[in-house]
Amino acid sequence: MNKKTGAIAFRFNDPNVNQVAQIWSVGWEEQESTIYNWSGIERKDQEKYIFQYTLSGQGEINIDGKVHQLKAGHAFIVSSPGHYHYYLPEYSTKWEFLYVTLYGNEAKKCWEHVKRKGNQVVRFHPEAAPVKLVKQMYDDARERKITNAYQGSSISYQFIMELYLALSNVDKLMEDWSEGIISAALFARNYYQDEIGAEEMAEASKLSKYHFTRLFKQETGVTPIQYLTNIRLQKAIELLQHTKYSVEEIAQLVGYKNANYLNKITRKLTGKSPGQIRQGE
């Protein structure tokens, strides 16, 4: 796969806006060394609030002496400084994750709510709004769409509200898809731009292709290819409606070889051509 990992930091100088909610950093990392180890006590970034979501592999976090395993679909929420440390354990070969670090009064209130409810480590569905929004924040940051304090504050506040909403029904968050299916779904969501299909999704799930295909349909209600196609279609519609990219460019951005193939998909699933979708017909 084409690696899209990286980290982007923001240093907006607008006290009035920053005081409410602001983004400090956002990133997508894949760690393969046990040297990776962050201590909450030693962190220099004070009064920051971190949300980190595992995409694949496995990490661990020790919070107040209790160790939590962080497999695909698990997130942790911590403040800096704090009595925790997270790391790649010796038994794990990699840990891939998305993260966002926020600050401001609303971020602090959300953190206090999380700690009071005991929700520092939570399993989120791959389609949960906070998970999608972190990925959006990362993509926007890489594309340099977050250019001022107002944009940064707006998307940070939106994330905080989505987190409140998701955590209000935490029992439901812990149900639904199994670990292998979560891994495959997250793989599809993060690599849909590449030449991937059911076979690569099965590899991400670490299940046999036959067992994976059967289990994926059983748990999600659609086949792996249908799930991947829906992701690509949703992204294509978004790009058609909100950007000036050509249909050919959009086809390639969502993982299709050419505009003709994208045209077939949109006509089959929406009854409209890319041009009609763009024009709002």
Side-chain angles (χ1 to χ4, degrees):
M1 298 299 104
N2 296 322
K3 287 299 176 186
K4 306 172 183 67
T5 54
I8 301 97
F10 299 87
R11 300 296 181 266
F12 295 124
N13 186 23
D14 192 322
N16 293 329
V17 176
N18 293 353
Q19 188 175 7
V20 178
Q22 192 54 272
I23 184 170
W24 179 258
S25 64
V26 63
W28 179 358
E29 294 187 17
E30 183 174 315
Q31 296 294 336
E32 297 179 341
S33 170
T34 53
I35 294 175
Y36 180 75
N37 191 316
W38 279 95
S39 168
I41 295 296
E42 297 175 1
R43 292 189 74 114
K44 296 180 180 179
D45 46 346
Q46 304 291 294
E47 295 188 352
K48 304 299 186 296
Y49 306 92
I50 305 158
F51 175 93
Q52 187 160 305
Y53 184 77
T54 300
L55 301 174
S56 66
Q58 185 170 339
E60 283 186 355
I61 185 167
N62 184 314
I63 301 176
D64 295 328
K66 183 178 180 180
V67 175
H68 303 263
Q69 293 185 337
L70 301 166
K71 300 179 181 180
H74 286 85
F76 68 75
I77 307 165
V78 294
S79 67
S80 176
H83 293 284
Y84 62 85
H85 73 273
Y86 51 94
Y87 51 89
L88 182 74
E90 293 184 359
Y91 60 80
S92 179
T93 57
K94 76 166 185 175
W95 187 15
E96 183 181 15
F97 51 83
L98 286 165
Y99 71 87
V100 62
T101 305
L102 306 176
Y103 64 101
N105 291 337
E106 292 304 323
K108 181 179 180 181
K109 289 178 184 177
C110 184
W111 158 247
E112 290 171 348
H113 172 79
V114 165
K115 192 166 185 180
R116 186 167 59 250
K117 295 292 185 179
N119 293 335
Q120 287 184 255
V121 178
V122 181
R123 184 185 180 196
F124 283 91
H125 194 284
E127 297 183 0
V131 176
K132 289 183 177 180
L133 194 51
V134 171
K135 181 59 165 53
Q136 179 188 324
M137 294 166 81
Y138 178 72
D139 289 342
D140 287 351
R142 276 179 59 96
E143 296 170 14
R144 299 184 179 182
K145 292 181 179 178
I146 306 175
T147 59
N148 59 67
Y150 297 95
Q151 290 174 318
S153 182
S154 176
I155 197 168
S156 298
Y157 187 80
Q158 182 185 357
F159 175 80
I160 291 167
M161 293 303 107
E162 292 290 2
L163 191 56
Y164 273 128
L165 182 60
L167 292 174
S168 68
N169 197 358
V170 70
D171 291 337
K172 187 176 180 180
L173 294 173
M174 299 299 290
E175 299 173 356
D176 299 323
W177 301 353
S178 59
E179 182 182 336
I181 301 308
I182 286 176
S183 296
L186 288 170
F187 176 80
R189 287 201 166 275
N190 291 309
Y191 291 98
Y192 66 86
Q193 306 97 323
D194 300 327
E195 293 183 11
I196 65 169
E199 186 171 340
E200 288 76 16
M201 291 174 67
E203 289 177 4
S205 75
K206 297 184 179 179
L207 301 170
S208 69
K209 187 175 180 181
Y210 171 76
H211 181 55
F212 164 72
T213 302
R214 181 180 61 80
L215 188 62
F216 195 95
K217 178 67 180 294
Q218 177 183 318
E219 295 193 7
T220 69
V222 296
T223 68
I225 290 301
Q226 287 172 330
Y227 186 80
L228 178 60
T229 299
N230 288 339
I231 293 172
R232 286 170 166 162
L233 177 62
Q234 290 169 8
K235 187 62 179 179
I237 291 173
E238 177 187 330
L239 292 171
L240 286 166
Q241 293 176 335
H242 301 292
T243 75
K244 295 182 179 180
Y245 288 125
S246 69
V247 176
E248 186 71 31
E249 289 172 324
I250 289 173
Q252 295 177 8
L253 286 170
V254 301
Y256 293 130
K257 292 182 179 180
N258 53 56
N260 288 336
Y261 198 86
L262 177 60
N263 182 56
K264 290 179 182 178
I265 294 295
T266 59
R267 286 185 179 277
K268 180 180 179 181
L269 298 181
T270 71
K272 299 178 181 179
S273 69
Q276 290 173 315
I277 293 173
R278 168 158 277 170
Q279 293 170 15
E281 296 180 7

